[in-house]
Amino acid sequence: MEKRNVKLPIWFWIVAVVFLLWNIIGVMSFVGHTFITEEAISKLPSAERELYESYPQWATIVFAIAVFFGITGSLGLILKQKWCKMAFIISLFAIIIQMSHNVFFTKSIAVYGLAQAITMPILLVVIGTFLVWFSKYSSHKGWLK
């Protein structure tokens, strides 16, 4: 079988870089959430402090899976690797689990209000779904090896 170089459209690179940056922000959010100091937590309003203090270890692990597989998928996309789709699928499942916990099993709605409490979870699921679709689309187009 003959290998051919497929020229990627410039918008592919723009999308790949934007979502790499997006996932870097996700990793920074994870680090900030996980390594917040007791002093910083003590300065939060009591309702937010309670959210931090009641966050279970398993949810932090799922958060880590979501962001680190997301950034791995983004790097795979930039490297034009087909395996990025699996990384995005794993990330999306972790996002769904984590966001379900955050919305339905914490007091985030009481603390932030419905609109604010569900906006980011919905956005994360939509973006995660897009990344799975985009990696599948890119593979189908022959852009990934």
Side-chain angles (χ1 to χ4, degrees):
M1 178 177 256
E2 172 185 325
K3 278 205 167 196
R4 60 186 178 112
N5 276 341
V6 178
K7 182 157 173 57
L8 281 84
I10 190 73
W11 60 264
F12 171 90
W13 294 111
I14 292 168
V15 169
V17 169
V18 164
F19 285 109
L20 175 63
L21 295 173
W22 171 260
N23 280 293
I24 289 170
I25 292 168
V27 169
M28 290 170 38
S29 175
F30 170 78
V31 169
H33 173 86
T34 304
F35 298 104
I36 189 170
T37 64
E38 290 296 325
E39 180 183 351
I41 291 174
S42 70
K43 293 179 182 176
L44 292 172
S46 63
E48 284 186 56
R49 188 171 47 246
E50 185 181 323
L51 284 175
Y52 268 99
E53 292 169 348
S54 66
Y55 207 75
Q57 186 67 30
W58 70 264
T60 301
I61 292 167
V62 172
F63 189 1
I65 292 168
V67 298
F68 288 108
F69 274 92
I71 200 162
T72 300
S74 292
L75 289 170
L77 196 58
I78 291 205
L79 296 171
K80 302 184 294 183
Q81 298 296 309
K82 284 184 181 181
W83 54 257
C84 70
K85 178 182 162 195
M86 185 52 65
F88 287 136
I89 289 170
I90 293 168
S91 177
L92 177 59
F93 280 129
I95 289 168
I96 291 168
I97 293 166
Q98 181 200 7
M99 292 302 109
S100 295
H101 169 263
N102 290 358
V103 172
F104 300 114
F105 300 102
T106 69
K107 296 179 181 177
S108 64
I109 293 173
V111 173
Y112 300 114
L114 180 64
Q116 188 175 351
I118 67 169
T119 300
M120 188 56 105
I122 290 171
L123 180 65
L124 292 171
V125 171
V126 167
I127 289 172
T129 302
F130 173 79
L131 286 169
V132 170
W133 171 83
F134 186 71
S135 60
K136 182 178 178 181
Y137 174 81
S138 298
S139 182
H140 177 72
K141 287 292 218 177
W143 299 341
L144 307 178
K145 51 187 172 191

